[in-house]
């Protein structure tokens, strides 16, 4: 799916020719990531506030509801299972157009979840054994992303982006890296 | 300037995509490495004659093992749920050219307990016996010709000794034990068959 993101990112550059005249699209946008829901089982919603024509701030929330990710975790195929991420971000447009532009983003992510840790336990017969136990983690990541955004009928925004952040306080509990990938469908007002 | 921006943009996008595709958040966590010497025993003799059998066993490989720096025994069966552990070794003969060549094959190898897979080296499987709570292997090679021979083990995860590895299922803990065998010198037991 990540390759699909990148392909779409490239294609929109040549396939979407639209008027670049600046006009007032509204300063607020709410958006929903359908692809994350369908492909990853994650609920990913965002709000973006446009402060200037080339500068915006926003916040995203990601809630993991994926059965397949949970199964992978339970079956020992993955070490961590993310519960949620809260991601404040700032975006800077690289283009003059407001209806079709590339952007770069800096974000921070407060993320939390569950992880496996092996512990040596003692049983009732005073013998030791190792067992994977579940523990909670919380961490704070900082990272960057790049993306492409365009509008249909001046109200419906689509942004495609990819990026990653590094958890700052991971010492084996939280994932070292958090992903920032999505295809948002938004409404600007 | 615009071209530079977009060049940098796509370079960054490509870099992030590559990083996304190769990142490994979920490194393998479910493995324990420990060192417990003496799990393999070479049944040595003072002299060897043609048609003798040189046996190798895991008679001391109990379910409960003394783990370094721990006050309680390690229950390896409860840890791994493994029905067997495996380890590798070789039996070689010195040729007239001073080369060591593998001599084990299915015709001259005898299995008393456990099982083996024989290629250029021998993969021995010590199988769990619920009655005596041991992982059992006893295999012997029939010495069919005179000459100088050696039994060798492959260096383990810690760079020395050799490894005995649990045959665990995905959801169970994988246990790798760096262990030793008796009578080895620089990783080999060398002997002469008369």
């Amino acid at each position: 799916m990540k390759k699909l993101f990148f392909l779409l990112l490239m294609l929109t550059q040549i396939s979407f020719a639209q008027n670049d005249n600046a006009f007032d699209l509204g300063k607020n946008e709410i958006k929903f990531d359908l692809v994350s829901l369908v492909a990853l089982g994650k609920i990913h919603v965002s709000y973006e506030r446009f402060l200037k024509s080339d500068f915006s701030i926003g916040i995203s929330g990601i809630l993991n509801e994926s059965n397949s990710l949970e199964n992978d975790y339970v079956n020992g195929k993955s070490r961590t299972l993310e519960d949620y991420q809260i991601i404040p971000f700032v975006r800077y447009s690289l283009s003059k157009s407001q209806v079709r532009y590339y952007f770069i983003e800096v974000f921070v992510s407060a993320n939390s979840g569950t992880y496996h840790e092996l512990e040596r336990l003692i049983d009732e017969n005073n013998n030791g054994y190792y067992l994977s136990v579940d523990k909670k983690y919380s961490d704070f990541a900082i990272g960057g992303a790049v993306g492409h955004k365009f509008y249909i009928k001046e109200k419906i925004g689509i942004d495609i982006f990819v990026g990653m952040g590094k958890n700052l306080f991971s010492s084996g509990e939280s994932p070292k890296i958090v992903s920032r990938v999505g295809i948002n469908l938004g409404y600007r007002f | 300037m615009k071209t530079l921006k977009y060049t940098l943009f796509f370079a960054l996008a490509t870099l992030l995509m590559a990083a996304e595709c190769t990142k490994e958040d979920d490194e393998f966590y479910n493995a324990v490495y420990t060192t417990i010497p003496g799990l393999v025993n070479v049944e040595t003799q003072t002299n060897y004659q043609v048609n003798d059998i040189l046996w190798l066993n895991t008679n001391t490989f109990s379910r409960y093992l003394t783990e370094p720096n721990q006050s309680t025994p390690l229950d390896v069966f409860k840890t791994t749920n493994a029905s067997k552990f495996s380890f590798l070794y070789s039996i070689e003969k010195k040729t007239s050219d001073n080369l060591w060549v593998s001599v084990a094959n299915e015709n001259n190898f005898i299995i008393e307990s456990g099982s083996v897979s024989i290629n250029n080296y021998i993969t021995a499987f010590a199988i769990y016996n619920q009655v005596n709570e041991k992982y059992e292997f006893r295999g012997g090679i029939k010495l069919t010709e005179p000459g100088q021979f050696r039994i060798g083990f492959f260096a383990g995860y810690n760079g020395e000794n050799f490894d005995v590895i649990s045959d665990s299922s995905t959801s169970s803990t994988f246990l790798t034990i760096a262990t030793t065998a008796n009578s080895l010198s620089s990783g080999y037991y060398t002997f002469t068959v008369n």
Side-chain angles (χ1 to χ4, degrees):
Chain A
M1 197 184 76
K2 291 165 186 168
K3 289 175 183 170
L4 176 66
F5 281 130
F6 192 57
L7 192 62
L8 283 171
L9 205 67
M10 295 294 195
L11 287 178
T12 50
Q13 161 73 0
I14 51 177
S15 66
F16 197 88
Q18 187 165 341
N19 187 353
D20 281 355
N21 292 337
F23 51 87
D24 186 10
L25 298 170
K27 293 192 172 183
N28 304 290
E29 185 171 320
I30 51 171
K31 42 199 170 185
F32 185 73
D33 186 351
L34 277 172
V35 176
S36 280
L37 183 63
V38 173
L40 303 174
K42 292 183 175 182
I43 298 170
H44 180 189
V45 294
S46 302
Y47 167 77
E48 188 171 1
R49 171 78 175 176
F50 294 85
L51 300 178
K52 293 168 71 176
S53 62
D54 60 357
F55 184 72
S56 65
I57 60 172
I59 187 164
S60 292
I62 298 174
L63 188 63
N64 182 21
E65 293 292 329
S66 169
N67 287 331
S68 66
L69 291 177
E70 187 167 347
N71 286 339
D72 283 350
Y73 175 77
V74 170
N75 294 327
K77 292 179 182 173
S78 56
R79 190 183 65 85
T80 59
L81 179 66
E82 178 188 293
D83 290 337
Y84 69 83
Q85 282 192 66
I86 298 170
I87 308 170
F89 62 86
V90 295
R91 283 182 178 178
Y92 176 72
S93 168
L94 298 173
S95 316
K96 288 181 181 174
S97 170
Q98 289 186 56
V99 295
R100 178 176 61 85
Y101 59 89
Y102 294 96
F103 62 84
I104 56 174
E105 174 187 292
V106 174
F107 69 88
V108 292
S109 165
N111 57 93
S112 180
T114 311
Y115 71 100
H116 291 302
E117 184 173 82
L118 277 178
E119 281 194 357
R120 194 181 196 277
L121 306 174
I122 308 294
D123 67 14
E124 63 279 5
N125 298 318
N126 208 32
N127 293 311
Y129 64 102
Y130 290 92
L131 185 69
S132 169
V133 295
D134 293 335
K135 294 186 174 181
K136 303 295 283 186
Y137 73 81
S138 294
D139 211 328
F140 194 76
I142 185 164
V146 296
H148 183 64
K149 181 159 192 164
F150 59 91
Y151 284 92
I152 301 169
K153 296 187 183 299
E154 303 170 14
K155 288 292 181 189
I156 307 299
I158 295 174
D159 52 276
I160 305 159
F161 54 94
V162 58
M164 60 200 310
K166 179 172 171 49
N167 266 326
L168 300 178
F169 305 107
S170 175
S171 57
E173 298 90 8
S174 57
K176 290 175 186 164
I177 301 293
V178 294
S179 291
R180 176 92 171 118
V181 181
I183 300 178
N184 281 331
L185 181 66
Y187 177 74
R188 188 157 169 176
F189 56 97
Chain B
M1 186 63 184
K2 193 175 175 181
T3 306
L4 179 64
K5 270 185 182 178
Y6 288 150
T7 304
L8 287 173
F9 176 87
F10 282 112
L12 193 56
T14 305
L15 198 65
L16 286 168
M17 285 302 302
E20 281 281 345
C21 292
T22 57
K23 78 186 178 70
E24 292 180 8
D25 281 350
D26 292 312
E27 67 274 15
F28 191 66
Y29 69 94
N30 209 5
V32 173
Y33 296 83
T34 189
T35 301
I36 300 172
L39 295 184
V40 175
N41 180 47
V42 182
E43 299 179 22
T44 59
Q45 300 175 193
T46 310
N47 298 298
Y48 295 91
Q49 306 296 325
V50 170
N51 290 328
D52 280 354
I53 297 170
L54 176 56
W55 295 93
L56 190 144
N57 70 61
T58 58
N59 289 350
T60 57
F61 194 168
S62 164
R63 166 180 179 167
Y64 306 103
L65 297 174
T66 302
E67 191 179 15
N69 306 316
Q70 298 290 347
S71 58
T72 54
L74 174 63
D75 185 339
V76 296
F77 182 75
K78 191 166 186 173
T79 294
T80 62
N81 290 311
S83 62
K84 56 188 174 184
F85 276 68
S86 65
F87 60 97
L88 301 176
Y89 68 102
S90 62
I91 301 174
E92 297 170 312
K93 184 185 180 193
K94 196 174 191 178
T95 67
S96 56
D97 301 328
N98 281 337
L99 298 174
W100 291 97
V101 296
S102 176
V103 293
N105 59 58
E106 290 176 356
N107 296 324
N108 64 8
F109 205 91
I110 302 158
I111 284 291
E112 190 177 271
S113 58
S115 63
V116 289
S117 170
I118 301 175
N119 296 301
N120 287 331
Y121 48 84
I122 299 162
T123 306
F125 297 95
I127 296 175
Y128 184 62
N129 182 335
Q130 289 184 332
V131 177
N132 62 15
E133 298 186 318
K134 285 184 174 182
Y135 285 92
E136 293 181 332
F137 172 80
R138 189 170 189 249
I141 185 164
K142 192 168 185 179
L143 305 170
T144 56
E145 53 188 319
Q148 193 173 4
F149 293 81
R150 68 180 185 183
I151 292 178
F153 295 87
F154 297 84
Y157 78 87
N158 59 5
E160 48 191 74
N161 306 333
F162 60 94
D163 290 343
V164 177
I165 301 168
S166 68
D167 184 31
S168 305
S169 63
T170 308
S171 56
S172 298
T173 301
F174 287 77
L175 177 62
T176 300
I177 305 171
T179 191
T180 58
N182 59 305
S183 305
L184 299 188
S185 173
S186 301
Y188 291 98
Y189 170 63
T190 305
F191 58 99
T192 301
V193 178
N194 300 308

